[in-house]
Each structure stands twice: as structure tokens, then as C-alpha cells.
Amino acid sequence: MKSDIRVCSAWRDAHDRPVYTLSASCPECGADAENSAPAPFDPNDPHGEYRRSLKRRYR
């Protein structure tokens, strides 16, 4: 899942705070913009199978 809101990939070096944008590059420094949202889950989660089975059981 991708978010429309992106953050400057070099904000720690080039800016004093995160710079958010909707474009593919930062409007202030021109660096690439990356997805600002974390993944909703970790595909390598060792306990994900158990969590999903519990969720199905209690529905």
C-alpha cells in the first residue's frame, strides 16, 4: 500500500524539519521523496500467522 504523501529523503541533512510533498521530489532541495507511511505490517513477522488465526477465531 502506497501513500500519496511523501517526505524528503534527505530532510535530516538538508532541512531542520521534515518536508512533506505530493510530488516525486522535494520542492525545496530537489532530493527524491519517499513514502512517509510505515508498512501496515511486517511480512517477516514470526508471530503474524498466530495473530491472524486468533483474529479469525474471534470474529
Side-chain angles (χ1 to χ4, degrees):
M1 180 165 107
K2 289 183 81 175
S3 174
D4 290 335
I5 299 175
R6 298 170 176 245
V7 65
C8 176
S9 61
W11 75 267
R12 289 179 180 85
D13 300 329
H15 311 288
D16 57 343
R17 60 180 179 79
V19 176
Y20 294 97
T21 183
L22 295 175
S23 65
S25 63
C26 176
E28 295 183 13
C29 69
D32 289 336
E34 58 189 20
N35 189 357
S36 65
F41 60 91
D42 181 14
N44 299 324
D45 182 10
H47 304 292
E49 178 183 347
Y50 303 111
R51 198 173 5 267
R52 288 187 294 275
S53 67
L54 282 172
K55 188 183 267 188
R56 283 191 294 266
R57 184 187 308 172
Y58 291 116
R59 281 188 179 173

